[in-house]
Amino acid sequence: MYNDDGIVMLSRVYYIHKEMSNENKTIHEFDFNLICEYFLNTERQGPGSPEVTLKALGFIDNLTDQSLIADLGCGTGGQTMVLAQHAPGHITGLDFFPGFIDRFNSNARGLNLQDRVKGIVGSMDNLPFGEGELDLIWSEGAIYNIGFERGLNEWRKYLKTGGYIAVSESAWFTEERPAEIHDFWMEAYPQIDTIPNQVALIQKAGYLPVASFILPEICWTEHYFAPLVKAREKFLAKYPGNKTAEELVAMSHHEEELYRKYKEFYGYVFYIAKKITL
């Protein structure tokens, strides 16, 4: 999602910009510092889990102590810290929100990972890496900011031949779905597609598809929605009577209601692929 200048405006914040209020307010109209503050009190800013991160990592076999890894749209680094604790190499986390990066670097220091893990503020469409520099590009729930197909194509040049990309992306599980959830996604992220079509895009972009798997429901319920309950309480307590804060929370709650109602039709899928050509 971009502003008028084409700058990535959201990182790991999930698709909650469906119009909901009588004023047809969307996420684009909120103060982005407010968005950051709302999601700052959660370990993960989107669906996922340590188990899922490690499952995806298990398909990657080329990492050494000298490997260079980029986690794009890293948020506060919940998944990044899991990577760093189970894989060798140096990791750069990149996110648009300075508040997320401050927390990211604080988390790295708290785990004594600061020598190998560093967070920087940046944009997905202007990466600060050299061509063929990276051994692994990681992005959980964030590639949608630049678009799945565009991200696959533009990020590929930063990978070494034989390097991996591992991303989780929203997908349709069925060819047909109820109008309410279909319309929601067409408004929020019209690039959402079925799993076979997304795998085809991976291959078309010059990667060898290595693995794909659907994130289990627990990644949404226990690792994303449940932590948001306390985050909402703290957020609303800090901004009592603030209509904007209340609308932001209402949007997030609406996302949860839709998932619980229509989870058989869509979800997140993890894709792991290898760059096989120059």
Side-chain angles (χ1 to χ4, degrees):
M1 285 172 273
Y2 302 84
N3 66 6
D4 292 338
D5 297 320
I7 300 174
V8 176
M9 296 305 293
L10 295 180
S11 50
R12 288 179 50 74
V13 180
Y14 193 61
Y15 322 102
I16 57 173
H17 77 304
K18 170 69 176 175
E19 294 179 3
M20 289 181 57
S21 71
N22 293 332
E23 298 174 353
N24 291 325
K25 182 183 287 290
T26 71
I27 198 72
H28 298 280
E29 298 171 71
F30 286 105
D31 182 292
F32 285 94
N33 290 323
L34 203 62
I35 297 170
C36 177
E37 185 173 352
Y38 175 55
F39 286 93
L40 195 57
N41 293 312
T42 58
E43 183 178 353
R44 288 174 174 264
Q45 289 71 50
S49 73
E51 293 77 16
V52 159
T53 296
L54 292 178
K55 182 176 180 178
L57 181 62
F59 292 101
I60 296 164
D61 60 11
N62 68 336
L63 300 179
T64 69
D65 290 340
Q66 286 71 47
S67 293
L68 299 179
I69 302 166
D71 185 359
L72 307 181
C74 62
T76 59
Q79 72 293 327
T80 325
M81 305 307 151
V82 175
L83 283 176
Q85 290 172 311
H86 292 86
H90 295 263
I91 305 177
T92 300
L94 179 143
D95 202 282
F96 181 80
F97 287 113
F100 285 169
I101 293 301
D102 289 343
R103 181 65 57 84
F104 179 104
N105 286 322
S106 176
N107 290 339
R109 289 191 297 270
L111 294 169
N112 199 29
L113 295 170
Q114 67 273 13
D115 292 339
R116 295 198 299 118
V117 180
K118 179 182 179 181
I120 61 174
V121 177
S123 173
M124 289 182 178
D125 58 357
N126 186 24
L127 298 180
F129 308 110
E131 292 191 15
E133 180 180 358
L134 300 175
D135 296 276
L136 170 62
I137 290 177
W138 199 272
S139 185
E140 292 196 32
I143 193 172
Y144 79 93
N145 285 287
I146 194 171
F148 185 67
E149 184 173 15
R150 182 184 172 193
L152 291 171
N153 283 286
E154 293 190 6
W155 296 350
R156 183 179 174 279
K157 67 181 179 182
Y158 300 102
L159 283 174
K160 299 174 181 177
T161 299
Y164 285 83
I165 186 169
V167 301
S168 60
E169 168 70 326
S170 54
W172 292 123
F173 297 159
T174 61
E175 292 292 341
E176 304 289 335
R177 73 280 312 186
E180 182 182 19
I181 194 61
H182 176 85
D183 293 346
F184 171 82
W185 278 95
M186 289 303 99
E187 176 69 28
Y189 185 54
Q191 292 185 48
I192 185 174
D193 212 333
T194 60
I195 297 171
N197 288 343
Q198 289 173 336
V199 172
L201 289 175
I202 290 170
Q203 193 159 20
K204 181 181 178 182
Y207 301 91
L208 172 66
V210 173
S212 62
F213 60 90
I214 295 172
L215 273 65
E217 183 179 343
I218 193 174
C219 292
W220 294 75
T221 55
E222 293 193 21
H223 293 279
Y224 181 46
F225 293 140
L228 276 177
V229 172
K230 291 185 178 180
R232 288 169 185 156
E233 292 175 355
K234 292 180 65 174
F235 187 68
L236 292 176
K238 184 174 181 179
Y239 298 101
N242 185 306
K243 184 179 179 182
T244 302
E246 291 172 353
E247 288 178 339
L248 179 57
V249 168
M251 285 181 168
S252 175
H253 187 65
H254 182 60
E255 173 202 3
E256 180 177 350
E257 291 176 337
L258 286 176
Y259 177 75
R260 295 187 187 280
K261 187 176 181 180
Y262 296 113
K263 60 190 175 184
E264 65 190 282
F265 297 99
Y266 73 98
Y268 261 130
V269 178
F270 226 120
Y271 299 100
I272 301 93
K274 188 174 186 178
K275 180 178 176 179
I276 56 174
T277 57
L278 296 175

